[in-house]
Amino acid sequence: KKSRSSAAGAAATAAAVLSLGQKVILRHLWHRFSGRYIEIPELRKLWELAYWPLCEQRQLIHEAFEYLKGTYRQLQGPGGRWCPEHEEAMFEMFAALDLARLPSVAFSTPWMPPQVGAVRLWVQLAPVKDWQHDVKEEIASENVAVQAIKLECTKLENKLNIVEQRSIVNKSQINDAVASINEFQRKKRESRTT
C-alpha cells in the first residue's frame, strides 16, 4: 500500500516538475521576444526539453500554441527564413501539443502549417470512425440474431401447420364418428320400432 502511494506521489511530483519546466521555457521565450521570435533551430531544442506531448494544462498548451503561431507568421513573412526543414520543424512542434484541448476558434488562423489543421480534424474524426465501426459490428450481430429469430419463426410456423393439419384430420374423424354414431342410433331406433 505504501509503494502505491509513493508511486502516485512520485508521479504527481514528476507532473508538477514537468509543468514548472514548461512554464519556465514559455516565460523564457516570451521574455526574449522583442518583436522577433527566436530562430527555429534554437526553438526546436527548447521545445524538445518541454516534453509537450505530456502537457495536459490547457492554458500552457494555448500559450505554447500562440507562440508557435507567431513564429510561423514570422517564418512566412517578409524577411522570414523559410525552408522545408523549418516548415517540418514547425509542424513537429505543433504536433507535439495536445491540440484537442484547445477550442476550435484557436484554429481559425492562417499562421500554422495546413497539415496541423488536417491532423487535428483527423484526430477529431477518429472517435466517429470507431463509433461507426462499433455500429457496423452491432448491426452485424443484430442481423445474426434476426436471422436466428426468423429461423425459429419458420420452425414454429411449420409445427403450427402440422398441428392445424392434424386438427383438420381429427375434426374430420370426429365428424365421421359422430355421423357413424348418429347412423347407428337411427338404425337402432328403427329396429326397435319395427
Side-chain angles (χ1 to χ4, degrees), residues 2-20:
K2 194 173 190 180
S3 65
R4 285 185 189 169
S5 64
S6 64
T13 303
V17 169
L18 182 61
S19 176
L20 181 62

Side-chain angles (χ1 to χ4, degrees), residues 140-159:
S141 167
E142 294 303 321
N143 279 339
V144 169
V146 167
Q147 292 302 325
I149 290 171
K150 281 184 179 180
L151 180 63
E152 194 61 34
C153 286
T154 302
K155 287 178 184 177
L156 290 173
E157 185 179 4
N158 290 339
K159 287 180 181 180

Side-chain angles (χ1 to χ4, degrees), residues 118-151:
V119 167
R120 181 175 184 272
L121 183 61
W122 181 78
V123 168
Q124 285 179 327
L125 291 177
V128 173
K129 287 182 179 181
D130 292 343
W131 176 77
Q132 285 177 333
H133 181 265
D134 292 346
V135 168
K136 284 181 181 178
E137 284 183 353
E138 190 175 329
I139 288 171
S141 167
E142 294 303 321
N143 279 339
V144 169
V146 167
Q147 292 302 325
I149 290 171
K150 281 184 179 180
L151 180 63

Side-chain angles (χ1 to χ4, degrees), residues 1-153:
K1 199 172 193 180
K2 194 173 190 180
S3 65
R4 285 185 189 169
S5 64
S6 64
T13 303
V17 169
L18 182 61
S19 176
L20 181 62
Q22 292 162 342
K23 288 177 185 176
V24 167
I25 289 171
L26 282 174
R27 294 307 164 261
H28 171 72
L29 292 173
W30 287 114
H31 180 71
R32 285 192 54 190
F33 179 75
S34 59
R36 292 208 42 88
Y37 295 89
I38 67 171
E39 296 299 320
I40 302 297
E42 186 181 349
L43 177 59
R44 189 174 194 174
K45 289 176 187 172
L46 288 171
W47 214 254
E48 289 172 358
L49 288 175
Y51 292 99
W52 286 109
L54 300 177
C55 183
E56 296 179 351
Q57 294 182 22
R58 187 179 195 178
Q59 182 58 35
L60 282 176
I61 294 169
H62 183 69
E63 196 174 334
F65 182 72
E66 291 301 317
Y67 191 88
L68 285 180
K69 284 182 359 185
T71 305
Y72 191 74
R73 182 175 56 244
Q74 177 179 294
L75 182 67
Q76 296 289 327
R81 295 185 181 164
W82 185 92
C83 68
E85 292 79 20
H86 289 166
E87 180 86 15
E88 183 178 344
M90 288 299 301
F91 174 72
E92 288 173 0
M93 287 185 280
F94 272 106
L97 299 172
D98 185 0
L99 299 177
R101 295 184 182 274
L102 296 180
S104 296
V105 71
F107 299 94
S108 58
T109 178
W111 304 119
M112 64 180 188
Q115 306 91 320
V116 172
V119 167
R120 181 175 184 272
L121 183 61
W122 181 78
V123 168
Q124 285 179 327
L125 291 177
V128 173
K129 287 182 179 181
D130 292 343
W131 176 77
Q132 285 177 333
H133 181 265
D134 292 346
V135 168
K136 284 181 181 178
E137 284 183 353
E138 190 175 329
I139 288 171
S141 167
E142 294 303 321
N143 279 339
V144 169
V146 167
Q147 292 302 325
I149 290 171
K150 281 184 179 180
L151 180 63
E152 194 61 34
C153 286

